[in-house]
Amino acid sequence: MGKPNRRALPTIIGVSVLTTLGANVAVLVARGDDAPAPGRGGEQRAQFVAASDSTRLSPAAVAPQGGRLTPHVLVAAPSTLPADLVAKVRRAKSVKGVEVVDAVQGMVAGKRVGLMGVDPSTFRNYTPKPTARSDALWRNVAAGDVAISFTMGNDGGVQLGSQVPVGGRRAQSPLRVGAYATMGIGDVDAVVSRTTAQALGMPTGNAMLISVPKTEPKTFIKKLRKVLPKNTKAVEVNPEIDYPAAGDVPTANGQVMTARQVRTVIKAAYTRLGWPYVWGGESEQEGGYDCSGLMQYAFAKAGIRLPRVAADQARVGWVVPYSKAEPGDMLIWANDPTAPGYISHIALYLGKGKMLAAPRRGTVVQVQDVYTRNMRGAVRVSPKTANGLAR
């Protein structure tokens, strides 16, 4: 997975507001003290929650899990959202729930990521089931810890229980990594309590998650934008990927890459062979590349601007079955069991069962045999779509 750099969240206070944001959603793999027991027949059910040692708060400090809601729309502004706007959204007929949060692009363990300040008692209900049900995880967050995504921990090398700097580029405070936790939101890699967020100087209540289960998010966003303050962004949370019917993929007229562009992309990717995997890496200055950073670099050499993260790169064309993949397509995988539709890894298809990829921490950019576990297909890249999404 790639470094956050996507569409909605402003940066930490004191830094100019960005127009894009991206982040990784990830699985929780270490077992916490409240994780479910092994299943029958000796089979171990998947464990996704990892709370770091004992909590520093009593169980009563965080409300029990309530009814879960799926967040469909993320709204973020440079400063506090007007109270009347929030109230108006809550009253909308199609809205089932609204959760106000503090949201920025901040620095966590030396990486710029999507960071949210949340109320652990209520925000937990907007997260995937394994995350929502972990009392220990949310008590740790309430106590002042930061919860980070598994990819940030595993691929980024940030250890559970370690102390890491969190904040802006100039002012940061050490926080304990209290959990690896997927939030199910493709724009968020780290979460703290709102109390901690205020101590870090983050904006107060400048974002909200909206659940509209019976309405098309794009339709809701179109209406919502009419009442949003200036410089406020509204985006769909984890939008669906375009899986076309057979024969619906264009073959010419500038909608797909030319043979020359394909050759340029593959040649550029080959020049990165042997470079280290670096989580968030996208250039020589960072000393290496992650999977989506590598794709961004290679396609840029052919004049094609890709979004920053794998989940967004998967939307720059049409997804076709691997059996129909052609050289220059991007292969995509969904490796998060708590968010099975979320694309978390990407590689460049070379043809004849080979691909060029930046696999994971501890490896280098390399040519690999294609594997199909958790694969979701191949992306036939549209330069027009890619350049539009990268703006």
Side-chain angles (χ1 to χ4, degrees):
M1 290 179 70
K3 175 183 177 181
N5 191 20
R6 196 180 176 195
R7 295 170 299 178
L9 306 189
T11 57
I12 198 80
I13 192 168
V15 184
S16 61
V17 175
L18 299 182
T19 59
T20 59
L21 168 81
N24 304 318
V25 173
V27 296
L28 310 173
V29 293
R31 178 170 175 151
D33 58 7
D34 56 355
R40 295 180 180 179
E43 293 182 1
Q44 182 75 25
R45 285 187 289 173
Q47 311 299 334
F48 303 121
V49 172
S52 177
D53 61 54
S54 60
T55 181
R56 290 174 283 167
L57 291 180
S58 69
V62 177
Q65 178 189 342
R68 290 182 56 253
L69 295 171
T70 299
H72 299 99
V73 176
L74 169 64
V75 175
S79 57
T80 304
L81 292 169
D84 58 343
L85 171 65
V86 176
K88 186 174 183 178
V89 172
R90 289 187 192 278
R91 292 194 300 266
K93 186 177 181 180
S94 58
V95 173
K96 189 171 182 180
V98 173
E99 181 72 6
V100 176
V101 297
D102 312 323
V104 298
Q105 275 195 7
M107 300 297 293
V108 178
K111 297 290 186 179
R112 188 177 65 178
V113 302
L115 172 64
M116 276 189 176
V118 306
D119 180 342
S121 294
T122 56
F123 178 78
R124 67 186 299 180
N125 299 323
Y126 288 79
T127 65
K129 193 176 295 183
T131 304
R133 70 187 177 193
S134 175
D135 290 326
L137 186 159
W138 294 110
R139 291 200 299 271
N140 276 10
V141 171
D145 288 351
V146 58
I148 64 172
S149 68
F150 173 71
T151 50
M152 186 173 188
N154 187 58
D155 293 340
V158 182
Q159 295 184 355
L160 191 66
S162 64
Q163 296 280 330
V164 298
V166 180
R169 290 188 180 276
R170 296 180 180 177
Q172 301 183 29
S173 300
L175 299 181
R176 188 182 71 157
V177 179
Y180 290 160
T182 177
M183 297 303 155
I185 303 168
D187 293 328
V188 177
D189 238 350
V191 165
V192 296
S193 71
R194 296 194 72 183
T195 299
T196 301
Q198 299 317 301
L200 293 173
M202 289 171 58
T204 302
N206 68 314
M208 58 180 166
L209 291 165
I210 307 169
S211 180
V212 285
K214 296 183 179 181
T215 302
E216 172 62 42
K218 291 180 181 178
T219 301
F220 180 81
I221 289 172
K222 186 175 181 180
K223 294 180 180 179
L224 181 63
R225 283 175 175 159
K226 295 178 181 179
V227 298
L228 292 180
K230 186 178 180 181
N231 295 326
T232 300
K233 307 292 181 181
V235 297
E236 186 176 352
V237 174
N238 301 335
E240 294 295 324
I241 294 175
D242 181 13
Y243 291 94
D248 285 350
V249 179
T251 58
N253 299 324
Q255 296 211 53
V256 293
M257 292 195 296
T258 65
R260 181 176 181 179
Q261 285 177 311
V262 170
R263 290 194 298 269
T264 300
V265 169
I266 293 176
K267 181 179 179 180
Y270 265 103
T271 68
R272 303 295 96 179
L273 285 176
W275 282 70
Y277 177 98
V278 174
W279 188 76
E282 58 186 42
S283 66
E284 295 182 9
Q285 287 74 21
E286 290 162 305
Y289 300 82
D290 61 18
C291 65
S292 54
L294 177 64
M295 297 301 100
Q296 194 176 49
Y297 168 85
F299 279 83
K301 295 298 183 181
I304 301 170
R305 294 176 297 157
L306 296 183
R308 182 55 187 89
V309 297
D312 287 340
Q313 291 178 355
R315 299 181 176 90
V316 300
W318 300 267
V319 177
V320 300
Y322 169 57
S323 60
K324 295 184 178 180
E326 299 176 357
D329 289 347
M330 295 188 296
L331 304 180
I332 55 176
W333 289 262
N335 294 320
D336 184 350
T338 67
Y342 185 79
I343 302 304
S344 55
H345 185 58
I346 197 161
L348 180 66
Y349 186 54
L350 303 175
K352 299 182 180 180
K354 298 292 184 178
M355 63 183 184
L356 201 153
R360 60 190 177 278
R361 185 168 64 97
T363 68
V364 298
V365 176
Q366 59 191 266
V367 174
Q368 297 179 302
D369 292 330
V370 174
Y371 58 90
T372 57
R373 182 182 180 183
N374 296 330
M375 182 186 280
R376 292 298 181 266
V379 180
R380 186 67 42 77
V381 175
S382 164
K384 181 179 179 180
T385 301
N387 290 332
L389 287 176
R391 290 174 182 170

